[in-house]
Amino acid sequence: MTTDSGSNMIKALQLNNWKNLGCFGHRLHNAIERSVQNETRISRATGVCKKIVSTFSYSWKKQKALMSAQIERGLPSHKLITESATRWGSRLQMIERVLEQEKAITQVLAADKKTRHLVPTWQDIMALESVTAALKPLQDFTDALSGEAYVSVSYLKPVIHLLNTEILNPKEGDTELTQEIKTKVLDYLNSKYTDPATDELLTMATFLDPRFKTMYLSPEKLEEIKVRAASETEALLEENPALVLVESSLVEDQPEREGETATAPLPSAKKPKKSLGSFFKTSSASASCSQKQIIEQELNSYILAMTPDGETDPLEWWRFHGSHFPHVSCLAKKYLCIPATSSPSERAFSTGGNVVTCSRAALKPEMVNRLVFLAQNL
């Protein structure tokens, strides 16, 4: 189950012996907050940004003057953005907008004696540019991993690897402040995702994504993950033996159904003669293997199967190829349904808050469920 860092949520999962995956969005937010909280240059620069946005928000004269300055300097006619304390992305958007409109903002503020002290200095601009250079690439990952209509958990291990090797890896052109922010963010994320329980979960999810498979596994760890996958699959099928029966029956019945729809049997059809191959047909009992051997064969075949394109939907891939790996596909369904962030549930909570208001406090639970379902799916 994917949760934020709330102690009550974590304690409830521990009492029920359920696996817990920390929300990537919350962990990234905490990593960024920790990387800038003790830096006076960033605190001053972001404080100036907040005061600038507040000044223009509460004065229509300043807004009108800003629009005139934008036209005069050929800048986009964009409004300033107010940050939300719980969303680090909104702070980044606020900083980017202030940097974009810096010349127009300076022109308007400098024209008024009461607001001249709010004009950002070159040190403030340098600090804001350093923050933007360090954090801008992270925004795309947060947005992509917050979706609920596609698989996201299998991306976490590749994303952490990409952050360490490329995106947050200090470069030559980076300022000292940019490098410091990148290092602190990386250290925090690595400390959270090197936890053995979390690492095992993410490793299995990445392994069961046909786009990645063993791409982020060392040769020594491959055998370990194969053994764990086989044992988990066997345990899963012991608890729900009907799972593999459903998978196999769909495949076995498909040719028969196609044949029935293509050519319906005639009432006067003669009894078919025995084919030559029927004399060499072996009984299923003599040719059968143990379930563990079948699972191991499926895992080996899955690893050797052709890797699909990176844009391929893994759920669609398993829907078309699950017939070849009926046992392993059951394990894939168990892991690939896990969301990487808690954003989907938080969106549902927000929808519920919009439905149940002070003027609609007498709604019955069944009606609330229906209204939230309709709001989320229409």
Side-chain angles (χ1 to χ4, degrees):
M1 183 177 290
T2 306
T3 67
D4 56 17
S5 54
S7 58
N8 55 342
M9 300 286 290
I10 296 174
K11 185 64 176 178
L13 295 177
Q14 289 176 350
L15 292 175
N16 288 279
N17 293 323
W18 293 343
K19 289 185 179 180
N20 175 40
L21 177 64
C23 171
F24 180 80
H26 282 87
R27 285 183 169 175
L28 184 58
H29 177 83
N30 292 337
I32 292 171
E33 289 295 323
R34 289 169 181 265
S35 67
V36 300
Q37 65 181 358
N38 294 324
E39 183 55 56
T40 55
R41 291 172 291 178
I42 298 176
S43 300
R44 172 186 155 72
T46 53
V48 169
C49 284
K50 292 178 185 178
K51 291 178 181 178
I52 290 173
V53 173
S54 178
T55 299
F56 281 92
S57 298
Y58 292 105
S59 173
W60 64 269
K61 291 183 179 180
K62 289 285 189 296
Q63 294 177 12
K64 187 176 180 180
L66 180 63
M67 293 175 63
S68 301
Q70 289 172 340
I71 296 172
E72 180 183 339
R73 295 180 174 274
L75 295 172
S77 299
H78 294 158
K79 293 183 178 180
L80 300 182
I81 299 175
T82 305
E83 75 154 346
S84 173
T86 57
R87 296 178 62 246
W88 71 268
S90 64
R91 180 182 300 177
L92 181 62
Q93 291 172 355
M94 177 188 70
I95 292 173
E96 287 180 319
R97 187 58 53 84
V98 169
L99 291 175
E100 177 193 83
Q101 303 293 331
E102 175 200 350
K103 295 180 180 179
I105 290 171
T106 302
Q107 178 180 328
V108 175
L109 294 177
D112 188 351
K113 293 182 180 180
K114 296 181 179 179
T115 57
R116 285 178 184 173
H117 67 283
L118 294 178
V119 175
T121 63
W122 66 269
Q123 293 96 332
D124 296 331
I125 297 299
M126 189 174 179
L128 295 177
E129 288 176 345
S130 298
V131 172
T132 304
L135 303 183
K136 175 61 177 174
L138 298 175
Q139 193 169 18
D140 298 331
F141 287 108
T142 306
D143 296 339
L145 290 171
S146 298
E148 55 184 314
Y150 48 84
V151 175
S152 56
V153 67
S154 58
Y155 275 114
L156 284 179
K157 204 170 184 66
V159 164
I160 296 298
H161 180 266
L162 190 63
L163 293 180
N164 279 278
T165 56
E166 293 184 27
I167 295 177
L168 292 181
N169 192 23
K171 300 177 177 60
E172 289 185 8
D174 292 342
T175 63
E176 179 186 352
L177 185 57
T178 300
Q179 293 180 1
E180 186 178 341
I181 294 173
K182 288 182 175 181
T183 303
K184 289 181 179 179
V185 171
L186 264 183
D187 291 343
Y188 182 86
L189 290 178
N190 288 331
S191 66
K192 293 298 180 181
Y193 285 101
T194 50
D195 174 66
T198 302
D199 184 62
E200 286 181 3
L201 191 152
L202 297 182
T203 301
M204 183 63 73
T206 306
F207 173 72
L208 293 171
D209 191 322
R211 298 168 298 178
F212 305 125
K213 293 181 185 175
T214 61
M215 193 180 300
Y216 298 95
L217 289 176
S218 59
E220 309 85 48
K221 205 166 186 178
L222 177 58
E223 289 302 320
E224 177 186 339
I225 198 70
K226 284 170 63 178
V227 172
R228 192 157 63 88
S231 62
E232 284 193 29
T233 304
E234 197 171 4
L236 182 64
L237 296 177
E238 285 179 2
E239 294 177 4
N240 303 287
L243 289 176
V244 70
L245 294 177
V246 172
E247 292 286 343
S248 58
S249 63
L250 290 175
V251 184
E252 292 173 358
D253 293 346
Q254 188 174 0
E256 296 177 3
R257 291 172 185 169
E258 291 175 357
E260 288 173 3
T261 54
T263 57
L266 298 174
S268 59
K270 294 182 180 179
K271 185 178 180 180
K273 294 182 179 180
K274 271 191 167 186
S275 63
L276 190 60
S278 63
F279 292 100
F280 301 94
K281 188 176 180 181
T282 58
S283 63
S284 58
S286 59
S288 63
C289 302
S290 65
Q291 189 179 64
K292 185 175 181 180
Q293 291 174 329
I294 294 174
I295 294 172
E296 291 175 352
Q297 291 173 4
E298 285 186 14
L299 286 171
N300 292 328
S301 301
Y302 165 69
I303 293 172
L304 296 175
M306 184 177 293
T307 303
D309 182 70
E311 295 294 330
T312 303
D313 184 357
L315 297 181
E316 285 294 318
W317 189 93
W318 278 108
R319 188 168 72 87
F320 285 109
H321 297 83
S323 58
H324 304 294
F325 320 104
H327 297 78
V328 181
S329 64
C330 298
L331 188 65
K333 290 177 183 178
K334 175 185 174 182
Y335 277 91
L336 297 184
C337 68
I338 303 172
T341 68
S342 58
S343 298
S345 59
E346 290 178 1
R347 280 193 286 266
F349 294 150
S350 299
T351 304
N354 295 331
V355 169
V356 183
T357 61
C358 295
S359 58
R360 304 180 73 187
L363 288 171
K364 292 183 178 180
E366 295 80 6
M367 182 58 67
V368 173
N369 290 338
R370 293 176 184 177
L371 292 173
V372 171
F373 175 82
L374 292 174
Q376 289 283 97
N377 294 280
L378 288 182

